[in-house]
Amino acid sequence: MSFIRKHWLGFLIGCWFLLLSFFVAIILYAPHHDAKNRGFAYCTQELIEKISNCEDAVLCVAGTVLHNTWCDIGIIKQSFVDWLDNKHPYPWSGYVFKPELPLAQSAYFDENEIREYMQKYPDTLQYMENLKQLRKDLENAQNKESSIENNSIESPIAGVGSE
């Protein structure tokens, strides 16, 4: 009994760390991309969209990650409840599965149609490469512009005696 009295806080911290490690392992192992948007795919897509809208705000990103953690916990909880209701064969079946990836381009287009189009418009590949290069140039210009704006000093004189 004295062992528990002396080490109860370490025991609680150890249990919390073990639970957190298990949670992280589940999240890392489970698929995050699925054509049917099952499991953690929904949470991952939501995380990507919200972080892209944060515009480098630290609190926004931290809040989004926290929200994503609660979303992941909800997926785990729902999978466990579905297992209890005999909807899944295992408690982890709702988030650990073989993902169905989106169909490849060949599934949407017939090879003959692609060949005909390329014969009719032979400069398409060069046009697409030019568009990719223009996109990269535009991104570089925007990144350069935003870094200049972030590094600019609004007031060159600061401190005691300044107006």
Side-chain angles (χ1 to χ4, degrees), residues 74-162:
I75 296 293
I76 293 171
K77 177 184 157 211
Q78 185 61 45
S79 179
F80 188 76
V81 168
D82 288 346
W83 174 68
L84 290 176
D85 293 340
N86 291 326
K87 294 179 184 176
H88 293 305
Y90 304 106
W92 54 85
S93 295
Y95 50 87
V96 177
F97 53 85
K98 184 172 181 165
E100 292 182 24
L101 299 176
L103 297 174
Q105 180 181 359
S106 60
Y108 295 114
F109 300 104
D110 184 26
E111 292 293 325
N112 293 331
E113 290 178 7
I114 293 173
R115 261 190 255 115
E116 286 177 22
Y117 182 83
M118 294 306 278
Q119 288 174 353
K120 194 173 184 181
Y121 305 103
D123 59 340
T124 302
L125 290 177
Q126 182 60 38
Y127 183 70
M128 294 302 289
E129 290 299 320
N130 290 342
L131 285 176
K132 286 179 184 177
Q133 185 61 40
L134 286 172
R135 180 186 57 81
K136 288 179 184 178
D137 292 343
L138 180 61
E139 285 178 357
N140 290 337
Q142 286 177 340
N143 289 339
K144 188 176 181 181
E145 183 179 305
S146 67
S147 68
I148 290 172
E149 288 176 3
N150 290 338
N151 292 332
S152 66
I153 301 172
E154 293 188 22
S155 175
I157 301 173
V160 178
S162 62

Side-chain angles (χ1 to χ4, degrees), residues 16-61:
W16 178 253
F17 183 73
L18 186 65
L19 184 66
L20 183 66
S21 299
F22 186 67
F23 177 71
V24 169
I26 288 172
I27 300 298
L28 290 176
Y29 180 72
H32 292 272
H33 300 287
D34 184 47
K36 293 182 178 179
N37 213 17
R38 297 175 292 170
F40 299 124
Y42 169 75
C43 297
T44 302
Q45 290 299 322
E46 189 175 288
L47 176 72
I48 291 168
E49 289 172 8
K50 287 185 177 182
I51 284 183
S52 65
N53 293 331
C54 277
E55 297 179 8
D56 298 330
V58 175
L59 292 177
C60 177
V61 172

